[in-house]
Structure formats: C-alpha cells, structure tokens
Amino acid sequence: MDTRTYPAPPAIGEQLRTWRERRHLSQLALAVQAEVSSRHLSFIETGRAQPGRELILRLADELDIPLRERNDLLIAAGFAPVFQARNFEDAAFDSLRAIVDLTLERHKPFPAYLIDRHWNIIRSNAAVPALFEGVDAALLRPPVNVIRLVLHPGGMAPRILNLAAWRSHYLHLLRRQIQMTADPQLEALLRETLAYPIGKHDAWNGSDSPSLPLIVQTRLGQLSFIGATTVFGSPADVTLEEVALEVLHPADAHTEQAVQAAAAGTGQGHEPRALRRALRLELKRP
C-alpha cells in the first residue's frame, strides 16, 4: 500500500488567479470581459465564493485556457469535465482521420506529419527518408518527437545548415506553448532542448526569404523546405485541439527536382525500408 501523501491541487480560485496573471489581466479587466462584478471575482480568487460551472467556463473562455486545463478547473471546483479527450483512433475521428490521411498521401513525396501537443508524431507519410538517415535509433522509437529529431545532436542537427535559426525558432514556439498551457511536459522538453549544443554555423540570414527554411544536407544534396501548419477550427475535443498537421514544401527548384527524382526511382539510391520500419510512420492502411 502506498502510504505517501501528495499535495492537494490548488483551489479553483487560486488556479483562476494564476491563469489571469499568466494572461496579464487585472481583476477589473477580466471581470468586465466575463460580465461579472470585480468584487465577486475577487471573492472567487480568495476562496470566499465558489464559482458555478457556467462562470468557470466563461472565465476560461475569456482567459483562452486550453480545453484540457478547462476540464482541470471544473474538476477542482467539484464538477464533471465537459470536454472529451478521445484517442485519435476513436471512431468519432473517422472523418477527421480521412482528411488527415488524404492530405498526407497527396503531399507525397514531400514530408507531412500529424503531431500532438508535445510534438510527438501521430501519423506521417514517411516521405523523403533521406532526411532521417544517420539518426540515432533511439530517437526513432515511437513516439518520435519532432523537436528531438531535429535538434538533438544524435538526430538531424549535424546536417541542418541553419541549425541555430531552427533552435531559436523551436525555443520560441515552446515558450509560447508553455505560456498558453502551463504544461509541465512541455517545460521539461524546453529544459532538455536548452541543454542541446548550439549550432556553430548558420547558412540562412533571413535577408532573402519571407519564411524560415529548413536546410538539410542529405545524400540527395542540399535540400530546403518551407513548413506550413494546419489546425482544426472550433475543436470541442481535447485531442482535436491539441493536434496539428505539419507539411514541408520544397523551397527551391533543386529540392523539388531531387525529391521527385528520388521518389520516381531515378535519383540517388532508394528508400531504406529498415528506416521506414523503425520510424513506423507510414500511412496506416485499413
């Protein structure tokens, strides 16, 4: 029997105050936005009053709190969670998976993948395996994490020519996510990422491109990609809110031609099947 004692989660009022301060709002500003008196909000934050379910959801909406954390607030106040958190393979996601799978398939031979809140790959088209050649096998064990795959010294990092720029980019995204979610797993990923070596060379100065390209040295030559991110609008499920579809487009003519030629079997080498099995990212077939 586990006889250890664990600290109780913060009271609902304390949690709401923390979120308000995280969003840099005064009590008066939040009260006006949520159409509640500032006195009542003050009483809630100090524990002198208990908010109802609808008020919690209204405050959470004004504070732009993610659905997962809204459920936590409801539980802290003694209410049942409102938002489901189904597995992405759940039947309720059939139509959404079809959209994702169609996008992944049509984007071949260029890379595309679906990631979760913690940057773990859920589905992928496993395109351009040359990008992942030489990556430490440990980093290819599911769940494959995009940030580790790109920035870890055992990953793609030694072959990324503008590594310093991508390190800065990912650190910015992680910090912004943490600000939005207060997720301890993301905080741990940020600490891990900060410990990775900093790139000593940077082949991109940002002067001639409107977007940060991913420039990678591969057996196909130097490849350059521009990424685009898609999220589902108006999510009502925790899982759906937390996934994002990332697609990499060729940033120059050489990348377009080299990847297309390799996919057609006229480029250098062929797709390493062992690597594809290690990644376990190929589209699932019914």
Side-chain angles (χ1 to χ4, degrees):
M1 176 183 292
D2 187 352
T3 59
R4 293 174 294 178
T5 58
Y6 298 92
I12 178 63
E14 183 180 345
Q15 291 190 46
L16 286 170
R17 182 178 69 249
T18 298
W19 279 107
R20 177 179 61 78
E21 293 172 346
R22 183 179 288 273
R23 299 294 186 255
H24 305 291
L25 285 175
S26 67
Q27 279 188 347
L28 178 59
L30 177 58
V32 169
Q33 292 178 18
E35 299 180 335
V36 62
S37 74
S38 57
R39 186 167 184 263
H40 186 49
L41 180 58
S42 176
F43 280 9
I44 289 173
E45 289 188 356
T46 58
R48 296 174 64 185
Q50 288 296 309
R53 176 176 172 275
E54 295 307 316
L55 179 55
I56 292 173
L57 292 174
R58 192 159 74 245
L59 290 169
D61 191 49
E62 295 300 332
L63 291 168
D64 197 20
I65 298 174
L67 301 186
R68 182 180 298 276
E69 282 69 30
R70 295 188 195 197
N71 279 343
D72 292 341
L73 289 174
L74 289 168
I75 293 171
F79 299 106
V82 169
F83 305 101
Q84 294 194 56
R86 290 163 283 206
N87 187 284
F88 195 71
E89 300 302 320
D90 189 279
F93 285 94
D94 284 353
S95 60
L96 299 173
R97 279 198 312 277
I99 294 171
V100 170
D101 289 348
L102 182 63
T103 302
L104 295 177
E105 183 67 23
R106 286 184 173 177
H107 197 64
K108 285 181 176 179
F110 303 102
Y113 44 88
L114 186 74
I115 59 172
D116 64 16
R117 179 183 195 170
H118 301 117
W119 296 80
N120 295 319
I121 297 177
I122 302 172
R123 302 170 88 79
S124 169
N125 62 7
V128 197
L131 287 176
F132 312 112
E133 289 175 349
V135 171
D136 190 316
L139 297 175
L140 298 176
R141 297 192 190 108
V144 176
N145 185 275
V146 170
I147 291 183
R148 290 193 186 100
L149 189 65
V150 173
L151 299 185
H152 193 284
M156 295 169 58
R159 294 184 291 106
I160 295 177
L161 302 184
N162 55 345
L163 178 61
W166 272 89
R167 180 180 185 275
S168 177
H169 174 63
Y170 276 142
L171 289 176
H172 170 73
L173 292 180
L174 277 173
R175 289 183 174 117
R176 188 168 65 183
Q177 271 190 284
I178 291 167
Q179 179 65 25
M180 287 297 298
T181 67
D183 189 318
Q185 283 186 248
L186 288 172
E187 291 175 348
L189 183 58
L190 175 61
R191 290 192 297 271
E192 177 186 331
T193 305
L194 286 168
Y196 295 160
I198 299 176
K200 295 182 179 180
H201 58 283
D202 196 338
W204 184 80
N205 58 22
S207 61
D208 59 352
S209 175
S211 181
L212 174 65
L214 177 67
I215 307 173
V216 190
Q217 190 64 46
T218 75
R219 61 180 170 82
L220 303 178
Q222 181 177 301
L223 303 181
S224 183
F225 298 94
I226 295 292
T229 303
T230 301
V231 297
F232 287 96
S234 305
D237 183 284
V238 171
T239 298
L240 188 62
E241 183 186 52
E242 294 179 350
V243 298
L245 186 61
E246 302 275 350
V247 296
L248 297 182
H249 298 272
D252 55 39
H254 167 73
T255 300
E256 169 86 27
Q257 295 164 5
V259 173
Q260 293 284 11
T266 59
Q268 303 175 47
H270 59 279
E271 295 184 350
R273 297 181 62 85
L275 180 62
R276 294 169 72 92
R277 287 195 297 270
L279 281 168
R280 297 183 185 175
L281 301 179
E282 182 136 20
L283 266 174
K284 296 182 178 179
R285 302 292 183 183

